[in-house]
Amino acid sequence: MSDTREHDPDSSELSPEQRLDPPNTRLINAGIATINDMETLRACVAYENTHQSRTQILRRLKWKAEELREDEE
């Protein structure tokens, strides 16, 4: 089954910085929730590891990765 989310233009409109550095946690949560592909997720993890390394954000990204993998099955 083909996954069209990989080519969804909305999934990569925001940069990792825009997703992970807004002024409040609600916007960070929304930024993570709208990640629809592993490429965007990997970019966000790399950005977070390089700039902030916040354990809570990395944990949310891990949960999102698990969700994306489940959706692929």
Side-chain angles (χ1 to χ4, degrees):
M1 184 169 139
S2 176
D3 191 337
T4 58
R5 290 175 304 169
E6 291 179 19
H7 303 291
D8 181 359
D10 293 337
S11 68
S12 60
E13 281 183 12
L14 297 175
S15 71
E17 182 177 9
Q18 290 170 316
R19 288 181 190 278
L20 301 175
D21 280 341
N24 66 59
T25 57
R26 290 174 126 179
L27 293 174
I28 293 172
N29 291 339
I32 293 171
T34 59
I35 295 172
N36 292 323
D37 61 86
M38 292 302 279
E39 182 179 339
T40 302
L41 181 84
R42 286 185 193 105
C44 289
V45 169
Y47 177 85
E48 186 62 25
N49 281 327
T50 301
H51 294 88
Q52 302 279 344
S53 285
R54 297 168 290 191
T55 305
Q56 189 173 21
I57 300 301
L58 290 168
R59 187 177 308 121
R60 287 186 189 142
L61 291 168
K62 178 183 175 192
W63 294 337
K64 185 64 178 183
E66 292 169 359
E67 180 184 312
L68 291 174
R69 284 187 196 105
E70 286 176 9
D71 290 347
E72 288 178 355
E73 294 176 358

